[in-house]
Amino acid sequence: MTPSLFALVDCNNFYASCERLFRPDLRLKPIVILSNNDGCIISRSNEAKALGVAMGAPFYQIERELRRLGVSVFSSNYALYGELSRRVMETLEDWTPDLEVYSIDEAFLDLGTGPAGDRVQQALQMRGRLLQEVGMPCSIGLAPSKTLAKLANRSAKQRPDGIFDARCPQVQARLLRDSPIEAVWGVGRRLGVKLKAFGLNTAHDLARSDSDWIRQHFSVTLQRTVLELRGQSHIELEALTDRKMILSSRSFRQPVHTLEELRQILALYAARAASKLRRQSQRPYCCTVAVSIRTGVHASARQPYGAQAFVPLTTPTQDTRDISAATLQALQQIYRPGYAYAKASVQLLDLLGPGEFQYGLFDAPTQRPRSAALMGLLDQLNRDGRTRLGFASALGPHGGGRQAARSPAYLSDWGQLWPVRAG
């Protein structure tokens, strides 16, 4: 059996790189991206990091300072980021079908099952092609385990060629000594504090620890991490994990006072959640819909109000119509007039796979293919994140959060395509 060689491909400052791709005038200039509702910093270019802009900093607190420093600010544009992520992953699949999409900007590849040859040269070609064909800079870590590949990628970001090869035992030992315990995949700050109390300060210390002792005092998962740090592959590639719960939630641009406005907003959230549900491969049906609404803490002199309601579904479904009906039923139970509502959410719970339930005796079998065909058409028309076809119940002005500085939809709207000028 061919031994695994994992490559972790991580796009550099992904959201900032997506924005800069269509704004070449911002090359080498500081950029930050804001979270939903323009709340806080979620992505920074290297130049913004060098200025000391902190990840997660509330935008309203540092807005003036960002202007003073000449930092360009963008609202999050997930339609753009999602499309560029898709192009990145499709390009990576040309090297090997054994690919795990770990996040929107990261993927593990098993190059041990790919064509033979110089793996570093392959990684350089991969990186060059992503830059040329997608316009996305990335870093690549090579190692015999996924955990080591994560650490190798961290070092790759500091190298001019963006590649770090951690296959050699001597290189691995040096990498582990240079990596603080918190940098190990799956450890983090809190667990790192506990490990430091036992004298485990670096990845090298953890790799040399007694794996049985680690299992006894911590967990099987951390024991597996220890073995991975020793170069033994114990975490296989897996498909993008299906969620056990789907949430669609957002703060409103302005307070909402009426039931009709809330109905419009929650119908939109229900449609988004249902679309996410249908993209799941293992658990694409839900049995329960939960809805919550709440007022702002400081929005009014009245006592804050918040409530949640659960509606079980007669038959597991992935149909937007069923999920929307349950959502509005739940809203009816918890809505109270006279309040200024600031946030609402729709949760899809008790998710099941196709073979994990039976339809009821009186369910019409002929309706199920029709429902699947209609939802398939709906998803196909709205595949790039824009709602071309939807339900009238979701029409309304309050669906989105504040996005005062969002860039155009360069890749998904004919009216906003990036202009190319001759000469």
Side-chain angles (χ1 to χ4, degrees):
M1 181 176 179
T2 305
S4 294
L5 171 63
F6 293 99
L8 176 62
V9 180
D10 186 2
C11 299
N12 299 340
N13 309 316
F14 180 62
Y15 293 167
S17 295
C18 290
E19 298 291 354
R20 185 175 275 164
L21 181 60
F22 296 94
R23 290 287 306 275
D25 58 304
L26 295 179
R27 184 173 178 270
L28 301 180
K29 294 183 179 180
I31 299 172
V32 298
I33 313 300
L34 305 179
S35 63
N36 283 336
N37 214 28
D38 289 355
C40 60
I41 308 295
I42 60 170
S43 182
R44 306 159 295 165
S45 66
N46 288 334
E47 295 78 13
K49 294 175 185 177
L51 291 173
V53 179
M55 179 70 86
F59 178 54
Y60 77 93
Q61 291 183 355
I62 63 171
E63 184 174 3
R64 288 185 179 179
E65 182 65 8
L66 293 177
R67 283 205 198 99
R68 186 186 72 80
L69 294 172
V71 177
S72 297
V73 178
F74 290 90
S75 301
S76 50
N77 186 345
Y78 292 113
L80 174 65
Y81 309 153
E83 173 60 23
L84 286 169
S85 174
R86 182 188 65 79
R87 297 184 185 196
V88 167
M89 302 310 167
E90 286 185 352
T91 302
L92 293 178
E93 285 178 342
D94 287 347
W95 268 268
T96 173
D98 296 315
L99 176 145
E100 174 189 340
V101 179
Y102 181 64
S103 67
I104 193 171
D105 62 343
E106 287 181 273
F108 285 103
L109 288 75
D110 189 346
L111 297 181
T113 60
D118 185 339
R119 301 307 192 196
V120 173
Q121 188 61 33
Q122 290 176 6
L124 287 168
Q125 291 172 357
M126 196 184 303
R127 188 173 185 270
R129 188 171 160 196
L130 284 174
L131 192 59
Q132 180 179 6
E133 297 185 6
V134 186
M136 186 57 56
C138 71
S139 303
I140 303 176
L142 299 171
S145 71
K146 289 171 73 175
T147 304
L148 275 176
K150 266 279 194 182
L151 285 179
N153 186 278
R154 183 171 174 268
S155 293
K157 292 183 182 298
Q158 312 305 319
R159 295 173 60 90
D161 62 0
I163 309 294
F164 191 92
D165 182 2
R167 287 177 291 175
C168 171
Q170 289 78 17
V171 173
Q172 290 175 23
R174 187 167 63 250
L175 174 66
L176 294 175
R177 289 192 185 95
D178 293 341
S179 301
I181 193 73
E182 299 90 345
V184 176
W185 187 30
V187 173
R189 184 179 59 82
R190 290 186 180 179
L191 182 54
V193 171
K194 296 179 181 179
L195 292 169
K196 284 180 177 180
F198 291 98
L200 304 176
N201 298 298
T202 67
H204 187 261
D205 296 334
L206 184 58
R208 295 186 61 186
S209 64
D210 186 321
S211 62
D212 292 332
W213 181 88
I214 289 289
R215 176 173 180 170
Q216 180 182 353
H217 288 80
F218 293 93
S219 67
V220 175
T221 301
L222 190 59
Q223 180 191 40
R224 196 160 52 230
T225 297
V226 170
L227 300 176
E228 286 256 319
L229 290 174
R230 296 174 184 172
Q232 304 171 24
S233 177
H234 286 266
I235 305 176
E236 301 297 324
L237 288 185
E238 57 186 42
L240 186 61
T241 305
D242 281 354
R243 305 175 190 180
K244 297 180 180 179
M245 179 273 291
I246 289 176
L247 172 68
S248 182
S249 172
R250 189 168 294 177
S251 299
F252 305 147
R253 283 182 293 212
Q254 57 192 52
V256 172
H257 298 84
T258 69
L259 176 61
E260 184 56 35
E261 286 178 298
L262 280 176
R263 286 172 60 88
Q264 293 171 348
I265 293 168
L266 285 168
L268 177 62
Y269 291 3
R272 289 173 177 167
S275 176
K276 294 178 185 177
L277 178 68
R278 290 190 293 272
R279 291 199 292 269
Q280 302 226 123
S281 58
Q282 301 297 320
R283 290 185 288 264
Y285 296 89
C286 80
C287 301
T288 306
V289 175
V291 171
S292 67
I293 54 175
R294 67 172 176 83
T295 61
V297 179
H298 307 293
S300 146
R302 295 189 64 173
Q303 193 74 10
Y305 171 72
Q308 186 174 39
F310 297 82
V311 175
L313 299 165
T314 306
T315 301
T317 186
Q318 56 176 206
D319 193 308
T320 298
R321 295 168 295 179
D322 299 332
I323 292 169
S324 293
T327 297
L328 300 182
Q329 181 184 338
L331 173 63
Q332 198 70 42
Q333 296 174 19
I334 59 178
Y335 173 75
R336 299 290 181 271
Y339 287 96
Y341 293 96
K343 188 173 184 178
S345 70
V346 175
Q347 286 179 283
L348 307 186
L349 306 171
D350 304 328
L351 306 188
L352 297 176
E356 297 177 344
F357 65 91
Q358 289 184 325
Y359 287 100
L361 179 62
F362 298 104
D363 290 329
T366 57
Q367 294 300 318
R368 290 173 226 143
R370 287 175 153 188
S371 169
L374 177 60
M375 294 302 108
L377 176 62
L378 192 69
D379 293 338
Q380 178 67 16
L381 290 172
N382 301 331
R383 64 186 179 277
D384 57 10
R386 296 181 63 225
T387 304
R388 294 183 177 85
L389 179 66
F391 294 92
S393 59
L395 295 177
H398 292 282
R402 178 176 176 241
Q403 289 190 311
R406 189 172 70 176
S407 54
Y410 294 110
L411 301 175
S412 56
D413 189 326
W414 285 104
Q416 300 182 54
L417 291 181
W418 192 36
V420 178
R421 297 178 177 85

